Amino acid sequence: MTTQVFPVGGWKRRILAIPRPPGKPALLTLRSRGPITAYSATPWVDTPQERWSDAALFHTWGRSWHPFVLPGRYTHLEVHKAGQNGVARWQLDRMLPEDVPPLPAAVVGHGTQLFVWEGGPLEMRYECADRGSGLRFGHHAFESGEPLDVEVTGASRGTVRIGGPGYLWMHSVPAGTWTLKAHPLRRP
């Protein structure tokens, strides 16, 4: 396997090796270079023993960067156009763990954002400001990047609970403005 140099870009479908220590997550960020071209990020396992893919992790929208966690079990990432509109290029880059900000007690966000939570159980109340938008959550383990205890898709308002530390991923569908208020929960 050749070492992938980041950032990397393209304009059509491409499957990229994402080198890192076995089982460790990759912190990545993807964006379309055009306002009406959307791309999908699909995880792959491609080893001498097996080759398969899972469902797309998410779709980009607009020119914003979309940070995300690629779990350690995946060796590759496929970037491909989602939908029929546009011909813009895409760009993929790595993030360092120190580039991911800690989750504040309250935040107004837009589009996709990734945070670090190092505390215990947490309740998050959220609301999307833009009509027709919903918020999708992911909670990923620090060591492996594997999904943990929450995955909520498409709701415009609600409450989400997580059981402890990890990466918190918020993805507005479609990209819109949202608010989030976090409240640590006491352990019984």
Side-chain angles (χ1 to χ4, degrees), residues 18 20-26 43-47 50-55 57 69-77 139-141 143-148 151:
I18 309 296
R20 62 202 188 276
K24 295 293 183 184
W44 279 81
V45 171
D46 190 353
T47 68
E50 60 184 335
R51 186 171 196 266
W52 53 272
S53 69
D54 267 337
L57 299 171
V69 177
L70 181 67
R73 71 182 142 163
Y74 300 111
T75 60
H76 291 68
L77 182 74
H139 181 211
H140 300 269
E143 289 301 313
S144 66
E146 290 299 320
L148 294 171
E151 183 73 22

Side-chain angles (χ1 to χ4, degrees), residues 26-52:
L27 303 176
L28 302 169
T29 187
L30 175 67
R31 75 171 176 156
S32 171
R33 302 289 301 265
I36 62 170
T37 305
Y39 285 94
S40 292
T42 302
W44 279 81
V45 171
D46 190 353
T47 68
Q49 296 79 26
E50 60 184 335
R51 186 171 196 266
W52 53 272

Side-chain angles (χ1 to χ4, degrees), residues 3-186:
T3 302
Q4 182 63 58
V5 178
F6 287 90
V8 63
W11 64 279
K12 288 188 174 183
R13 177 182 181 264
R14 188 165 170 195
I15 298 176
L16 304 156
I18 309 296
R20 62 202 188 276
K24 295 293 183 184
L27 303 176
L28 302 169
T29 187
L30 175 67
R31 75 171 176 156
S32 171
R33 302 289 301 265
I36 62 170
T37 305
Y39 285 94
S40 292
T42 302
W44 279 81
V45 171
D46 190 353
T47 68
Q49 296 79 26
E50 60 184 335
R51 186 171 196 266
W52 53 272
S53 69
D54 267 337
L57 299 171
F58 66 96
H59 302 292
T60 65
W61 185 259
R63 294 182 185 153
S64 299
W65 285 101
H66 293 74
F68 65 102
V69 177
L70 181 67
R73 71 182 142 163
Y74 300 111
T75 60
H76 291 68
L77 182 74
E78 177 184 0
V79 179
H80 57 93
K81 200 166 122 181
Q84 302 299 317
N85 290 339
V87 294
R89 298 180 64 79
W90 53 265
Q91 191 172 11
L92 178 72
D93 205 356
R94 280 192 182 274
M95 295 173 60
L96 297 172
E98 53 269 19
D99 294 336
V100 182
L103 179 70
V107 63
V108 175
H110 184 84
T112 304
Q113 291 191 7
L114 184 64
F115 296 101
V116 169
W117 174 249
E118 294 183 2
L122 182 70
E123 180 177 87
M124 299 180 293
R125 293 175 189 249
Y126 65 93
E127 185 168 350
C128 294
D130 300 328
R131 188 176 187 175
S133 286
L135 203 54
R136 182 176 169 202
F137 291 90
H139 181 211
H140 300 269
F142 285 135
E143 289 301 313
S144 66
E146 290 299 320
L148 294 171
D149 53 8
V150 66
E151 183 73 22
V152 176
T153 305
S156 61
R157 178 185 309 143
T159 301
V160 171
R161 289 184 179 194
I162 62 167
Y167 294 108
L168 298 173
W169 180 73
M170 288 82 166
H171 178 66
S172 178
V173 184
T177 300
W178 45 267
T179 58
L180 181 75
K181 293 180 182 174
H183 306 283
L185 299 173
R186 284 191 233 174

